[in-house]
Amino acid sequence: MSASRRSGTTDELGPDEPGRDGSDGAGSDLLAALLDGMDAALCAFDADGVVTHWNREAERILGWSAEEAVGRRGLAGWAVRSADAEEVESRLLSAMHAPGRQVHEFALLTKDGGRVLVRTQSAAVRGPDGKPAGVYCAFSEVHTQIDLERSIALSEALFEDAGWGVVLVDADLRPAVVNAHAARALGTGRTSVLGRPLGELLAQGVEELESALQHVLAQGAPPEPAEVWVSVRSPEGERRRCWRSGFLRLASPLAEEPVPLGVGWLFQDVTESKQAEQEASLLRFRAQQLHRASRAAAECEDPGEAATVHLDFALAGFADHALIDRVTEGSPAGADDEGPVRLVRVAATPSGAPGPSRLSGRAGLPVRYAEGHPALQCVERSGALRATAGSASPEEARAWAVSRQWPPDAVHALCAVLRSRGRTLGVVTFLRGAGRSAFERGDAMYAEDVAVRIATALDLAELTGRA
């Protein structure tokens, strides 16, 4: 129990002494309870340097109880070394005649003889007449104060200078505090994002992100960062980004039991590195497929079968369907030739259930391709060509595919010319359904590599009379 001097000098640090207002000690008890509940150690001196107040935190730090401390004149010989007492007391009591608060650091003695370096804040206590009546001094161990200052400095640095995004999300999963880096990543200002649902900021990836935040609120932080793909709304359109995210559950330090205040979400944009990693992985897989296809095709006695082997290996992870069309005999095979190009279907993947490609076209009947068909343009240009139904409705996309003699579920197409020994032999067409993205430039390069191997097999079939 903290104590105060109840005789002599009037107590200037709280309500009047018991009996002064008929409160019967309630004011003094309230003062004692307030002092004992403080997180900082507190002591007070009257104008003569006599200790008038001493709370529990001061007792915890130095070991001296309130009964042992209150009533002593000065700190010499018990809380401060005698050699240092004059300087320490003069610095503390000088606050009576100085404006504001003064901050000092010095060593105090503990009851067991140890020394503790403390940081003090002292200020004058004035009586009813406005004259100095004493000094109060709040102090804490220096390392505790430094830890607090470091925590505050860290928080300020994270929200001002951090090179990654920092967002504090409340229990309703709405941003409460956002640093400058996170605001830029979200494509908005630091204040305009506050209190808004994440669904208004992100076009895709909201469900995954909110699920992670809810998990952290319920279970705590995950052991490792998570990579979350999102689409951010911006004036230029949606931007697909990958954020490597770490999560921390925030709990109130003042509650008896941990009460979640929200989640600290830290993230860094790793889109470029992830895309490079994915591209490298894709290139390795495709190179392995080409290698496996070449080894499997080398064991085929029939060159036509070898062509379908290359086609089947190329389909894995690349397309849903594939077709091989060959230029008919006597048909123009280049842009310098005259007359319409006619193509005969020689191989195709099943359009229904998955399975190996099948050889066809024994009858030699041309495919009914309309003028301007992508396969015909590919032969005329002797280069790869991409086509897509774009954002057409399912019915329009189906009509688009059927009119081009492709399976009805085809939405994206990529045609690569088949050339061998300086001649155009035909075209290979790869098709993707609506569940896949459109073909890109890198896909065209891979299709051309496959086309070279297919063309070589077809050329060999022609030379051996098996075409």
Side-chain angles (χ1 to χ4, degrees):
M1 181 74 177
S2 65
S4 62
R5 207 161 39 86
R6 295 183 181 253
S7 62
T9 307
T10 302
D11 185 353
E12 299 291 347
L13 295 181
D16 293 336
E17 295 297 329
R20 184 172 299 179
D21 58 357
S23 61
D24 204 1
S28 181
D29 292 341
L30 175 60
L31 174 61
L34 291 174
L35 294 180
D36 279 344
M38 293 177 60
D39 292 331
L42 185 136
C43 65
F45 305 87
D46 63 14
D48 297 325
V50 177
V51 178
T52 61
H53 290 79
W54 191 268
N55 73 347
R56 283 189 182 276
E57 185 65 11
E59 178 180 348
R60 186 193 69 78
I61 294 176
L62 299 180
W64 301 98
S65 67
E67 289 76 9
E68 294 172 310
V70 172
R72 289 178 181 261
R73 183 179 295 275
L75 302 175
W78 63 286
V80 177
R81 291 195 314 170
S82 299
D84 302 331
E86 182 178 355
E87 178 187 359
V88 171
E89 292 176 5
S90 65
R91 290 166 67 182
L92 288 177
L93 296 178
S94 66
M96 279 195 296
H97 308 287
R101 286 181 290 183
Q102 293 187 340
V103 179
H104 303 287
E105 288 185 7
F106 40 71
L108 297 181
L109 291 178
T110 62
K111 189 175 181 179
D112 58 8
R115 302 183 72 193
V116 178
L117 184 62
V118 300
R119 178 174 296 177
T120 67
Q121 294 187 39
S122 55
V125 178
R126 303 190 180 278
D129 57 359
K131 295 181 180 180
V135 174
Y136 80 84
C137 173
F139 63 91
S140 61
E141 297 174 83
V142 167
H143 71 82
T144 302
Q145 183 70 19
I146 290 176
D147 288 344
L148 175 61
E149 292 178 0
R150 283 174 178 163
S151 297
I152 295 174
L154 174 60
S155 298
E156 292 181 350
L158 285 174
F159 286 104
E160 295 295 337
D161 306 322
W164 54 87
V166 181
V167 180
L168 297 188
V169 182
D170 62 21
D172 295 326
L173 305 186
R174 298 182 181 227
V177 184
V178 178
N179 76 341
H181 188 98
R184 289 193 298 270
L186 292 168
T188 184
R190 293 184 62 179
T191 55
S192 60
V193 70
L194 303 182
R196 295 172 57 187
L198 294 174
E200 294 184 5
L201 305 172
L202 304 175
Q204 296 180 5
V206 178
E207 294 81 3
E208 182 179 1
L209 180 58
E210 289 185 342
S211 176
L213 294 172
Q214 290 172 345
H215 173 81
V216 174
L217 281 173
Q219 304 293 332
E224 294 183 1
E227 292 175 351
V228 182
W229 282 93
V230 300
S231 291
V232 183
R233 292 191 175 96
S234 68
E236 296 78 20
E238 295 182 2
R239 294 182 295 114
R240 183 107 171 124
R241 313 305 296 170
C242 180
W243 291 340
R244 180 170 291 140
S245 304
F247 303 95
L248 299 170
R249 182 166 61 176
L250 306 179
S252 172
L254 304 179
E256 294 182 4
E257 297 181 359
V259 177
L261 298 177
V263 176
W265 171 32
L266 293 81
F267 66 90
Q268 190 172 26
D269 195 320
V270 293
T271 307
E272 284 72 18
S273 62
K274 288 299 296 182
Q275 288 177 340
E277 181 181 327
Q278 291 175 351
E279 290 174 1
S281 177
L282 182 61
L283 287 175
R284 286 194 301 269
F285 173 75
R286 289 179 175 177
Q288 292 172 356
Q289 287 297 98
L290 290 174
H291 174 73
R292 292 169 183 161
S294 297
R295 296 200 43 155
E299 301 301 322
C300 297
E301 295 183 6
D302 183 357
E305 182 184 353
T308 62
V309 166
H310 284 292
L311 194 66
D312 291 335
F313 272 91
L315 278 178
F318 182 67
D320 298 316
H321 306 289
L323 315 168
I324 298 177
D325 297 323
R326 184 160 184 176
V327 176
T328 61
E329 293 184 7
S331 176
D336 296 334
D337 299 324
E338 297 181 357
V341 176
R342 290 178 296 174
L343 298 173
V344 175
R345 179 71 44 80
V346 297
T349 54
S351 59
S357 302
R358 296 192 297 262
L359 292 171
S360 60
R362 299 295 184 185
L365 298 177
V367 184
R368 294 181 297 104
Y369 285 153
E371 184 179 353
H373 191 282
L376 300 177
Q377 294 183 48
C378 180
V379 172
E380 293 170 356
R381 299 177 184 179
S382 295
L385 185 144
R386 289 174 285 169
T388 180
S391 57
S393 65
E395 294 77 13
E396 293 174 339
R398 181 182 179 88
W400 177 85
V402 172
S403 67
R404 287 161 178 76
Q405 310 299 316
W406 291 333
D409 58 342
V411 176
H412 312 293
L414 171 60
C415 300
V417 68
L418 303 176
R419 288 186 62 83
S420 177
R421 294 188 297 146
R423 299 180 305 141
T424 297
L425 303 182
V427 59
V428 57
T429 302
F430 295 98
L431 302 168
R432 288 177 176 174
R436 293 176 180 263
S437 61
F439 289 100
E440 299 178 354
R441 184 179 298 274
D443 298 325
M445 295 176 62
Y446 177 61
E448 288 174 342
D449 287 342
V450 176
V452 168
R453 289 163 170 78
I454 293 176
T456 301
L458 293 180
D459 196 14
L460 179 59
E462 182 180 346
L463 291 175
T464 58
R466 297 195 180 191

